[in-house]
Every structure is written in C-alpha cells, then in structure tokens.
Amino acid sequence: MRFGSPLWLLLLIPIAARWVIALLDRRRREGSFTFSSLGLIDGGGSWRSGTSWMPLLLESIALALLVIALARPQEIHPMAQDRRGIDVVIALDASGSMAAEDFQPQNRFEVAKEMIGEFIDLRNDDRIGIVTFGQRAATRVPVTFDRRVAREVLAGVEVGENGDGTAIGTAIATAVNRLSRSPARSRVIVLLTDGVNNSGSIEPPAAAELARELGIRLYAIGVGSYGPVPVPIRMQSRITGEIEIVYQTIRADLDDAMLTSIAERTGGEYFRATDEQALADILRTIDRLEKSRLAAPPELLAEELYRVPLILGLSILVIALLTGETIWMRLAA
C-alpha cells in the first residue's frame, strides 16, 4: 500500500487543528462549543453558539476521507511477466565416455544428472529445457515451467542412448532451435561435455555464431579429470555369449580452447569441472550470473483505491451539511 500523491495528506493538519481549537474552546465555554457546519464550504470560520458537535465530527471525517482520496491510495501488485523471464536449455553429453568413473563414488554422467537436477531446483521462476546428445542430439524436454517433469525425464536419461560420438555443434544448434522463438528476456544454453566434436554435420563455431546472432548466451562446462580414467564397457563374452562389463582406460579428450572460444563468442563463459564439487560450484556460479544479469527493479502495477474514500467522504459530507442545517440546528435552537 502506498499513496500516489502523498503531499495532499498535509491537509489533514488543519483538520486536526480544527478539533484542537474546538476542544480548547469547549473548555473555555464550560463544556460546550459552537461552530458552523458550513464553515469549510462557504469560506467562513465562525462558530455558532449552541451548535452540536456532531456536524463537526461528520465534516471532519468527510474532509479527511476526501484528503485521503486526493492523496491517491494505491495497492501495489507485481506484474506477471514470464516470471523471471529466463529460458534455459541444458545440453547434456550422453556419449559412452561420460560413464568414466573419475567422479567417485559415481561416474561423470550420474553426477552431472544429480547436479543438473539441483540446478533446475534453483531456477524456481524460469523455464527449463533438456537436450541430450551423443552421435546425434535429441530434445528430451521442451522449455517448460514444469520442473517436476524436467526432473523425471532427466532421471531416465541413460549413457549411450544417442549413439556413440560427440556432436557438440548439433547439440548447440538443437538448443538454439528450442530457444529461437522464446519471448523470454534472457535465453541461455548450459552445455556439459567431456569430449571433442567428432560427429554431426554442424561445427561448434557455426552453431555458436547462430546463438550469438539470436542473443543466446552459452555456458560450456568441460567435465572430467586430467589423468587417465577407467570407463566401463559392455561387451559380449566370446566364451559364454553373455554381456560382461570390462574396463578400458581413457585419457581426457576435451578441447578446452574450442569450448572457451564458442562460449565467449556468445557472451558466456567456459568452466572446467574435474570433480563433483567443482561441477556443483560451477552450476551455482552460472545460477548467480544469470540472476545478477537481471537484477533490474521488478515491474509493479498500482491499483488505484481513491474511489472508496471519495464516495464515503462525499456521502458523509452531504449528511453533515443536512444535519447541520436541519436536525442539529433545530436542537440547538
């Protein structure tokens, strides 16, 4: 609640002063005071002997209500406008190497899913979309306010479901396509990958340039430690014919320079996550960055409430004038 023209409230001072004068006059006149019920209307200020106090009370209330109406009381409501106005698409690498077990006690992919889930929970007022990619990219969740659906779909995503390969450029282009028609004030892609672009028909720089032209920021996160790490691989046993899990050691194969270049081209940043805690810190950093970019004052809608005190004030003023000239004047007489 606020007043649109609060200076009008200064007029309450003479109204209060009139009561102080009336009370002092009453004491001087041994418990009675007189006044003109039309004093504020006709410009006079005389006090009529024998006039009751009731018209003064009614007139004072009426004038106070009219002053409040002039001050324009308002009720403030925040305007509904796409909530925070940020659309975020998370592009998650689901290639086989994301099963590397250097983020103990889980592998890279499971830790990434857990951290992304927590990131989604932080974006209470934003729309979230999810794209997974390997040899090809696929939209798992279109941008939506329904965080529960996003979390459920994310929980069901598995390593290798998009084929063996890392199509970073295609993943970015798919995310850009999801955001291209978004009316949000801010659009963001969060890319998590542990490899180099070796699949797809779109090169990462070309996809990043498209994002830049559309005003979409890209935050890239390189996932994985620097040393050799074991990766479980499902293979069929030549002896029993059953599927067995064997481990193959791989080394980090991240193209840090390329990921840095495409992120900075769009106004975003590149981060390297070498363990679970680092990934959690990076996602929290991105969360803060995007909220701070939209730290503008919220838009407010002011609902005018002057009509109620205006109508009440005029009604009471009419009653005060009528009673002052008829009933109360007759009683005084």
Side-chain angles (χ1 to χ4, degrees):
M1 177 72 71
R2 72 180 184 188
F3 290 96
S5 305
L7 290 179
W8 284 103
L9 294 175
L10 294 175
L11 291 179
L12 292 175
I13 297 176
I15 296 175
R18 185 183 184 194
W19 271 97
V20 173
I21 294 172
L23 290 173
L24 293 175
D25 185 60
R26 179 179 180 178
R27 289 183 180 180
R28 286 198 304 268
R29 301 190 181 196
E30 299 179 348
S32 65
F33 60 86
T34 60
F35 67 98
S36 170
S37 61
L38 296 175
L40 292 182
I41 302 300
D42 61 15
S46 63
W47 302 87
R48 298 182 186 174
S49 174
T51 303
S52 170
W53 55 268
M54 183 58 72
L56 174 61
L57 176 62
L58 293 176
E59 287 177 9
S60 298
I61 294 174
L63 291 172
L65 288 170
L66 293 176
V67 168
I68 292 173
L70 287 171
R72 294 173 52 218
Q74 300 171 337
E75 186 174 357
I76 306 303
H77 305 280
M79 293 181 63
Q81 47 175 345
D82 289 332
R83 301 190 184 183
R84 253 196 187 280
I86 298 179
D87 280 356
V88 182
V89 172
I90 298 166
L92 174 61
D93 189 344
S95 61
S97 60
M98 286 291 286
E101 296 180 351
D102 53 346
F103 281 21
Q104 292 296 332
Q106 303 181 78
N107 59 38
R108 297 172 181 175
F109 192 70
E110 292 303 319
V111 169
K113 289 203 301 181
E114 181 181 335
M115 296 298 102
I116 291 170
E118 294 179 4
F119 177 80
I120 290 173
D121 289 339
L122 292 173
R123 313 303 299 189
N124 293 328
D125 297 327
D126 303 322
R127 299 200 303 172
I128 300 292
I130 298 175
V131 170
T132 58
F133 66 97
Q135 185 178 14
R136 56 189 177 274
T139 299
R140 298 302 180 187
V141 180
V143 285
T144 177
F145 282 124
D146 196 334
R147 291 178 295 134
R148 180 184 61 81
V149 168
R151 289 295 303 266
E152 289 178 356
V153 173
L154 179 65
V157 173
E158 296 182 358
V159 169
E161 65 180 17
N162 297 102
D164 189 18
T166 308
I168 296 175
T170 302
I172 296 173
T174 302
V176 168
N177 184 52
R178 284 296 170 185
L179 293 171
S180 60
R181 297 183 181 180
S182 166
R185 293 177 298 167
S186 182
R187 295 169 294 174
V188 174
I189 297 171
V190 179
L191 171 74
L192 293 94
T193 183
D194 70 341
V196 297
N197 185 71
N198 55 24
S199 297
S201 58
I202 303 175
E203 292 297 319
E209 180 61 23
L210 178 60
R212 186 193 67 80
E213 291 176 357
L214 293 175
I216 300 171
R217 279 188 300 280
L218 169 66
Y219 291 96
I221 303 175
V223 180
S225 58
Y226 290 100
V229 293
V231 178
I233 300 175
R234 297 168 62 89
M235 298 183 64
Q236 186 176 20
S237 173
R238 295 180 180 179
I239 300 174
T240 64
E242 296 180 353
I243 301 299
E244 298 178 345
I245 302 297
V246 297
Y247 282 86
Q248 178 180 347
T249 300
I250 65 171
R251 296 187 63 86
D253 197 24
L254 271 167
D255 190 345
D256 294 302
M258 183 273 292
L259 292 172
T260 301
S261 174
I262 63 174
E264 293 180 350
R265 179 177 299 188
T266 66
E269 295 184 42
Y270 171 66
F271 304 90
R272 181 68 183 264
T274 57
D275 54 40
E276 180 177 351
Q277 185 59 50
L279 180 56
D281 292 342
I282 289 167
L283 287 171
R284 281 193 290 267
T285 298
I286 294 173
D287 177 66
R288 289 193 299 270
L289 284 172
E290 282 308 308
K291 285 181 178 177
S292 65
R293 290 180 188 273
L294 291 180
E299 294 186 38
L300 302 176
L301 176 65
E303 179 185 357
E304 298 286 350
L305 304 177
Y306 68 88
R307 294 178 183 83
V308 174
L310 177 62
I311 294 172
L312 286 176
L314 291 175
S315 301
I316 295 174
L317 184 60
V318 170
I319 294 172
L321 294 176
L322 292 176
T323 55
E325 291 298 319
T326 57
I327 298 173
W328 297 107
M329 290 299 296
R330 291 174 184 173
L331 289 175

